[in-house]
Amino acid sequence: MILSSCVVNLVGKGWLIARHGVATPPTSEPNMHSTPLRAASIAAIVLALASPVASADAGKTRIGGRMFFDLSSLEERYNDTGKTDASSFALDVKRFYVDIAHALDSTWKLQLTTDFTWSSSDGETQLFVKKAYLEGKFSKAAVLRVGSADMPWISFVDKAQGFRYIEKSVVDRTKFGNSADWGVHLGGKLGAGQQFDYAVAMVNGAGYKDPGRSKSVDFEGRIAYLPSSRIMLALGAYSGRRGKDLESSPAIHTTQRVSAMAAYVSDRTRAGIEYFKSDNWNEVNKPTGDHAKGWSVWASQALGEQFTLTARVDRTTPSHVRDPRSAERYAHLGLEYSLRDNLDLALVWKNGATDSSASRDGIAYTRHRRGNEVGIWGQVSF
């Protein structure tokens, strides 16, 4: 109750709590576009401070991990310059997550997730922190996380879609959203039958790779309705300035994104559709604003005990204003084989294409990129 009173008092005085625990006043021109999300996020965080639930894991430390990899042949070419250097046959370790979780008591725990990635296209190896947060589980309806944690939308879609090791979901793949970010996160399940699943986040906006500070914070929220154990209906919204509102380069536009998803998920069958529309995602500091939109349709069906057929099609328009010729397409078809517990392999064909504006000798034309990739994708966890 003391913590609840503190939060209420701070909100009432119009102060925002910065990452390092220093109180900073809001800007003289608040971001009115994010007011509903801001109010909902703050109210939800205050309501989260309820009675804790018991846990048998107090004092335990758990270590786990997961690796995504592929061995594939890729051919990529442009209509004006021919084949690119990305055309190759190689092994990629797309992700290697290591999770460390330590339960402090029946309510609080610490979580650290490191991420390793290596790409044969650039030869660079990177090791960084993706998630690092303190979690307070006060009830099934209120799980609070402070630090870098999963954002409300992308992680939810990944769970519904499955096959994250083959490809990211459309918002993540096209970089119109962050999968994790630094801030305050709250989620849980509501209703007598827990048919409502919600998540809200107040974050820095630049993503988990950039914990830097700016003059404002961003807000993302998601509400899902589960009328049955197999049906999922979800709406999401994002508003903010993506950590780009700085004294040296003030924000000109506010980023906004709305998302929707409908999915059917069972033990053997998955099917769904996702849609998003974004304003000024890449134009926060640019004079001219822009709009983007896209959709994704996916399905998978188990064939026997070890095989699963999966297919997906994405279509996006990355720019309506700055590049009216822009278009992006993606599709894959795969057959997964569960070799053993915690080890899946999939034979996959991927097809991708982009269109963009170009000019040569004063003549404008549409530049096409086409790519085809065939190989083995896999995931192993422990």
Side-chain angles (χ1 to χ4, degrees), residues 13-58:
K13 293 178 181 178
W15 293 74
L16 298 176
I17 303 302
R19 177 178 309 104
H20 299 292
V22 179
T24 57
T27 59
S28 59
E29 298 182 1
N31 176 10
M32 297 307 295
H33 294 283
S34 64
T35 298
L37 274 176
R38 177 185 295 134
S41 299
I42 294 173
I45 291 168
V46 173
L47 292 174
L49 303 174
S51 58
V53 294
S55 172
D57 295 332

Side-chain angles (χ1 to χ4, degrees), residues 328-342:
E328 192 268 350
R329 298 171 291 282
Y330 169 83
H332 76 230
L333 180 65
L335 181 64
E336 180 188 72
Y337 174 62
S338 295
L339 186 63
R340 50 160 295 167
D341 289 344
N342 304 324

Side-chain angles (χ1 to χ4, degrees), residues 68-254:
F68 300 158
F69 62 93
D70 68 76
L71 178 64
S72 64
S73 174
L74 169 65
E75 180 177 296
E76 181 184 77
R77 64 174 60 244
Y78 284 92
N79 61 325
D80 53 356
T81 57
K83 265 189 182 182
T84 72
D85 290 341
S87 299
S88 60
F89 178 77
L91 171 72
D92 287 330
V93 178
K94 294 294 181 65
R95 287 290 183 268
F96 197 126
Y97 302 109
V98 176
D99 297 303
I100 304 173
H102 178 74
L104 301 175
D105 56 30
S106 61
T107 302
W108 299 96
K109 81 169 185 177
L110 289 168
Q111 173 76 38
L112 173 66
T113 299
T114 63
D115 189 2
F116 162 88
T117 181
W118 176 77
S119 174
S120 58
S121 61
D122 56 27
E124 293 186 358
T125 298
Q126 300 181 35
L127 178 64
F128 47 87
V129 171
K130 180 165 187 179
K131 290 183 280 188
Y133 57 81
L134 172 66
E135 177 184 286
K137 187 172 184 179
F138 302 97
S139 68
K140 292 182 179 179
V143 179
L144 180 68
R145 293 174 175 175
V146 180
S148 179
D150 286 332
M151 290 293 282
W153 186 255
I154 289 176
S155 60
F156 188 78
V157 174
D158 285 344
K159 292 175 184 176
Q161 191 175 93
F163 302 97
R164 166 62 184 85
Y165 71 98
I166 293 179
E167 190 55 76
K168 302 174 183 177
S169 55
V170 63
V171 172
D172 195 10
R173 184 181 63 80
T174 55
K175 303 186 186 303
F176 284 100
N178 294 319
S179 59
D181 205 342
W182 296 86
V184 181
H185 307 252
L186 178 69
K189 296 184 178 181
L190 304 172
Q194 298 185 4
Q195 67 270 37
F196 292 97
D197 188 306
Y198 79 95
V200 293
M202 180 175 66
V203 296
N204 300 329
Y208 62 91
K209 291 184 180 181
D210 184 0
R213 304 175 64 158
S214 70
K215 295 165 62 178
S216 60
V217 293
D218 292 11
F219 297 86
E220 181 170 294
R222 185 258 306 153
I223 182 70
Y225 175 55
L226 289 69
S228 73
S229 61
R230 298 183 178 183
I231 303 297
M232 306 169 69
L233 306 173
L235 293 173
Y238 186 101
S239 182
R241 292 167 176 173
R242 299 193 57 213
K244 299 180 183 295
D245 191 12
L246 307 173
E247 288 292 341
S248 60
S249 57
I252 300 174
H253 302 285
T254 296

Side-chain angles (χ1 to χ4, degrees), residues 242-268:
R242 299 193 57 213
K244 299 180 183 295
D245 191 12
L246 307 173
E247 288 292 341
S248 60
S249 57
I252 300 174
H253 302 285
T254 296
T255 288
Q256 293 181 313
R257 190 189 75 241
V258 293
S259 307
M261 185 196 75
Y264 174 90
V265 180
S266 71
D267 292 339
R268 299 180 59 82

